[in-house]
Amino acid sequence: MSSAPDEPHQLDPSPDTGGRWATADSVVGRGSLLVIGPVVVALLWAFGALPAWGAAALGGFLCVVAVVFLVRLRGARTGDGAEGARVVVVGGGYAGLVAARALQARLPGGTRGGRHLGAGEAGSGIAGITVIDPQAHMTYQPFLPEAAAGAIEPRHLTVPLRRVLRRCDVITGSVAAVDDSSRRVVVSLPDGGTRELTYDVLVVSPGTAPRRLPIPGLDDRALPFRSVTDALALREHVLSRLDAAASTTDLAERRRLLTFTVIGGGFAGLEVLGELEDMTRRAARHQPAYIGEEVRWVVLEAAGRIMPEVSPALAARVHAQLLRRGIEVRVGAKISSVEGGQVVLAGGTTFATDTIVVAAGSVPNPLLERTDLPLDARGRVRCATTLQVRDRAHVFTAGDCAAVPDVTVRTTRTGEPATTAPTAQHAVRQARLLARNVDAFLSGRLLRGYRHKNAGAVAGLGRRRGAAQIGPLRMTGWPAFVLHRAYHLWAMPTADRTVRIALDWLVSGLLGRDLVAVGRRDAAPVPDADAPPTVAPRVEEDATGETGELPVLPVTGGTPTWGADPTATGSRPVVRPVPAEPLGSPTDSQGIPALQMAAMQSGDVPAVQEPHPSLPFAEQRTVEGNPADRYPLPTFREPTPSLSFGEPPSEKPPGDPSPSGSFREPHPSFPTAARDEPAAGPRAPYPSTSRPRHSLSADHSRRN
């Protein structure tokens, strides 16, 4: 069901529901009576003004009224309304969400009230609302800088569309085209398919897109800052630069890592700059002392001054405060190139940087170019003060993509009327008026024009720092910071997100911000595969050609390789385990069981696969009959018996590779009484122990 744009009265509205209990006044009024009534009855009975039977009777009557009220309210909410207009909202941003909520409240059985819904009598000309947006949530962008700095949990800046717009049909997809002549919208779905929708009333509020500057190398080096994901990525990147700078020894590289550049000196750029600069100063306290001294923040603005949204006097005060914080502010700076991380300005100034954040404004959404709606020179939708698109009475627009005339400002020199600035303040006001005008358009009532009174401008520049201009009042410092947080907390949609953000501020104020980078951004590179390994390679194939894992060696079995020879090729031989010797078996002077000694001397099991360079082995031989016969094995030599304690070492000819005594000096706990004759046979280091303490494997582990 559709009608001509210039004939809104022909739309068939549903029957009047003014007598229903589902209107806002009846819901609030009867709900208040149902709550206050039992309280009054209980107080009358408590003070003796009402007998018990009277209180019970009156209380029962109120319970019956409550049940009837709830039944009728449920019927009004779930009852099928008459046929009405189908409304399609393109865009689920700030303006789209507020407008959809206000329109949802005007559905049959809806309730209204609150700062995000607006006032006015509810109409009955809306049959259904469809909201289309690529994301399933709305992001409150004024809080993105604080989320990047760790003051707010990033998820708390998002408002789930399906949770808030429960009575709307939310489609997660991108609008491919809008054909207003046939009143059709083509939507590209995430699965690759398309969906076509028809509408009677169209609301266009897709928002804006980041501006792309024609600077060589900027697209490859710049970090975006438009979404929660971008805020998290920027936070991880900045903190990882501090860690990388503290780990390098190259002075030039450290200066490049610690130089952070922000392009854009408006509210968006300075808020990002202020929050991240404060975060880096606090994070540098946990780094070496020279890191905090070498951190460098630079803001580049092509205009003659920063903060064009406020008066020149306030902008000059903010400029001076930034300089006192050690931030370099370059106004009138036109960038020629940023290729290779080298920022080249038009005047010839060059400096190296590893972080470039672009916050140089925005442009209308490119979606508008795929529509047949009238656009102005900047690509915004032309509309009247009633928020109706020119020559399209059934199409409404609001937000940053709308060229809404500003009737509070005189006409410009070109003759074109001045338009409202793309701010959240205008977006929420226009969205409320849009919902009211859509309802009035479907009901045949008079539409209102948009006329606003400037409430001022506020901006946060870091912890306890801000700037605010409210009428003739201009302030900086912590009072402006408090106003900034108070206003945006009030403007945040939904009460649960407001409470969560307030708790985040409380926790970060008491415990401090969590300054940890958990992402693997520019992590240390993996060593080259051609470099000599420090650990023996994993064996995937044994000598017989069969694949499998190495057998587990017992405690007293073959000794594994302690190092890998870079020149050796092929797989490592498999070591056959030797059965563990029972406790108390005969051992030699080094604590090696006799059976194991016999097996090693016979060549059945190699004890050490590769000799350590420090071992004084004179000869090497190969094991015959062993699958690993290509690996040379050291010839075992009978160790020289240990010297007796208290006895001077005997003189050895030069070049004798035999090891010296086990101990050069007697242990302090051992008796120092001299003995006439050494004990027969080798002896353990400690006579109080019956079990040998050292083994060949332990000796090799100590030497390596």
Side-chain angles (χ1 to χ4, degrees):
M1 178 206 93
S2 62
S3 62
D6 54 350
E7 296 179 355
H9 60 277
Q10 294 183 1
L11 292 173
D12 184 18
S14 60
D16 184 18
T17 57
R20 290 189 178 183
W21 287 15
T23 60
D25 295 336
S26 66
V27 169
V28 175
R30 289 175 173 79
S32 301
L33 291 177
L34 292 177
V35 174
I36 298 176
V39 175
V40 173
V41 172
L43 291 176
L44 293 177
W45 173 76
F47 287 101
L50 193 66
W53 62 270
L58 187 56
F61 174 75
L62 292 177
C63 291
V64 173
V65 173
V67 171
V68 174
F69 170 73
L70 294 177
V71 170
R72 296 191 61 180
L73 180 61
R74 180 181 179 84
R77 287 181 178 274
T78 60
D80 51 344
E83 184 180 1
R86 296 181 297 272
V87 180
V88 174
V89 180
V90 177
Y94 200 33
L97 174 65
V98 174
R101 289 188 70 191
L103 291 172
Q104 174 184 253
R106 288 168 167 81
L107 290 174
T111 59
R112 300 195 345 273
R115 63 181 184 274
H116 293 295
L117 300 181
E121 297 183 2
S124 57
I126 303 176
I129 304 171
T130 302
V131 180
I132 308 171
D133 193 82
Q135 301 291 335
H137 60 269
M138 186 276 292
T139 302
Y140 192 71
Q141 295 189 0
F143 280 149
L144 278 180
E146 294 196 45
I152 300 177
E153 175 66 26
R155 293 176 299 175
H156 297 167
L157 307 182
T158 61
V159 179
L161 297 180
R162 286 185 172 85
R163 179 181 177 182
V164 177
L165 306 176
R166 297 181 180 178
R167 307 187 66 191
C168 299
D169 183 16
V170 179
I171 299 177
T172 303
S174 301
V175 176
V178 175
D179 185 8
D180 187 62
S181 59
S182 59
R183 301 195 179 187
R184 293 183 303 115
V185 176
V186 181
V187 184
S188 298
L189 302 178
D191 58 359
T194 59
R195 181 177 176 181
E196 187 174 312
L197 304 175
T198 60
Y199 61 85
D200 298 311
V201 175
L202 178 65
V203 177
V204 181
S205 57
T208 58
R211 176 185 299 175
R212 299 186 62 180
L213 302 178
I215 300 176
L218 187 62
D219 293 339
D220 300 332
R221 305 291 303 183
L223 297 175
F225 193 73
R226 295 284 297 181
S227 63
V228 173
T229 305
D230 297 340
L232 290 175
L234 180 59
R235 166 187 167 85
E236 298 292 338
H237 175 80
V238 171
L239 292 178
S240 65
R241 299 305 86 195
L242 299 180
D243 296 333
S247 304
T248 185
T249 57
D250 189 351
L251 179 60
E253 177 66 12
R254 185 167 69 241
R255 290 178 178 176
R256 186 184 70 88
L257 294 173
L258 296 178
T259 301
F260 305 95
T261 306
V262 176
I263 300 177
F267 267 17
L270 292 185
E271 286 182 345
V272 175
L273 171 74
E275 292 289 345
L276 293 181
E277 190 273 340
D278 184 80
M279 181 191 71
T280 53
R281 296 297 179 186
R282 295 180 180 276
R285 299 175 183 176
H286 308 286
Q287 302 286 354
Y290 57 85
I291 296 296
E293 299 175 356
E294 296 181 3
V295 171
R296 179 187 181 190
W297 281 91
V298 182
V299 56
L300 304 177
E301 173 57 40
R305 67 180 181 94
I306 61 175
M307 300 182 70
E309 299 89 350
V310 298
S311 63
L314 181 60
R317 291 173 58 183
V318 174
H319 192 152
Q321 290 184 358
L322 295 178
L323 294 179
R324 287 194 295 268
R325 292 170 61 177
I327 300 175
E328 300 181 23
V329 182
R330 297 177 180 266
V331 295
K334 297 183 179 180
I335 306 174
S336 301
S337 173
V338 294
E339 294 180 347
Q342 292 288 332
V343 179
V344 181
L345 302 181
T349 305
T350 304
F351 61 91
T353 181
D354 193 54
T355 304
I356 301 177
V357 183
V358 179
S362 58
V363 295
N365 199 305
L367 159 66
L368 301 178
E369 300 177 358
R370 301 191 296 270
T371 66
D372 55 353
L373 303 177
L375 306 179
D376 64 353
R378 300 173 57 183
R380 299 178 299 176
V381 181
R382 293 179 178 270
C383 64
T385 56
T386 58
L387 305 180
Q388 290 177 300
V389 178
R390 291 187 179 182
D391 303 328
R392 306 286 206 286
H394 62 284
V395 181
F396 294 79
T397 183
D400 299 343
C401 68
V404 181
D406 191 352
V407 296
T408 63
V409 181
R410 295 180 181 179
T411 307
T412 60
R413 296 179 180 179
T414 59
E416 292 289 335
T419 57
T420 58
T423 61
Q425 179 183 154
H426 289 294
V428 64
R429 294 180 178 183
Q430 294 170 6
R432 296 174 188 167
L433 180 63
L434 184 146
R436 190 265 177 196
N437 284 348
V438 169
D439 189 14
F441 170 76
L442 296 176
S443 303
R445 301 196 307 269
L446 183 65
L447 278 67
R448 295 180 182 177
Y450 180 71
R451 183 184 181 90
H452 73 283
K453 182 179 180 181
N454 191 5
V458 291
L461 303 177
R463 193 173 185 180
R464 293 190 294 273
R465 300 183 181 97
Q469 178 177 334
I470 304 176
L473 182 62
R474 298 171 178 83
M475 63 184 71
T476 57
W478 67 266
F481 176 75
V482 172
L483 287 177
H484 159 74
R485 283 194 166 183
Y487 171 76
H488 287 296
L489 189 66
W490 172 84
M492 184 69 190
T494 68
D496 65 319
R497 286 314 193 239
T498 301
V499 175
R500 290 177 187 272
I501 292 175
L503 293 178
D504 289 341
W505 286 337
L506 178 62
V507 172
S508 63
L510 295 177
L511 304 180
R513 301 178 181 181
D514 192 4
L515 306 174
V516 179
V518 297
R520 290 183 53 83
R521 197 173 179 87
D522 295 341
V526 179
D528 189 3
D530 297 334
T534 57
V535 183
R538 179 180 178 85
V539 175
E540 299 181 357
E541 181 178 332
D542 59 8
T544 61
E546 298 180 357
T547 58
E549 297 182 357
L550 285 175
V552 180
L553 300 179
V555 177
T556 58
T559 306
T561 303
W562 295 108
D565 186 5
T567 62
T569 58
S571 60
R572 193 176 60 183
V574 179
V575 179
R576 291 193 297 270
V578 178
E581 288 290 331
L583 296 178
S585 60
T587 60
D588 73 329
S589 61
Q590 299 297 326
I592 303 177
L595 294 181
Q596 184 177 349
M597 285 294 304
M600 289 188 297
Q601 292 180 3
S602 63
D604 292 338
V605 177
V608 180
Q609 301 297 330
E610 298 171 7
H612 194 274
S614 63
L615 294 181
F617 292 119
E619 299 179 2
Q620 292 183 346
R621 63 182 178 86
T622 58
V623 180
E624 299 180 358
N626 195 318
D629 54 347
R630 61 180 179 272
Y631 283 80
L633 300 177
T635 303
F636 182 82
R637 293 178 178 273
E638 187 70 27
T640 304
S642 304
L643 296 177
S644 301
F645 293 102
E647 193 174 292
S650 61
E651 297 182 0
K652 301 180 179 61
D656 190 357
S658 59
S660 59
S662 300
F663 291 86
R664 298 183 182 275
E665 297 178 4
H667 196 273
S669 62
F670 198 82
T672 57
R675 292 180 174 83
D676 296 338
E677 296 181 358
R683 59 191 305 168
Y686 292 91
S688 60
T689 59
S690 60
R691 185 181 177 184
R693 185 179 181 186
H694 303 285
S695 63
L696 184 59
S697 60
D699 184 61
H700 278 287
S701 64
R702 289 195 305 272
R703 296 189 181 204
N704 292 335

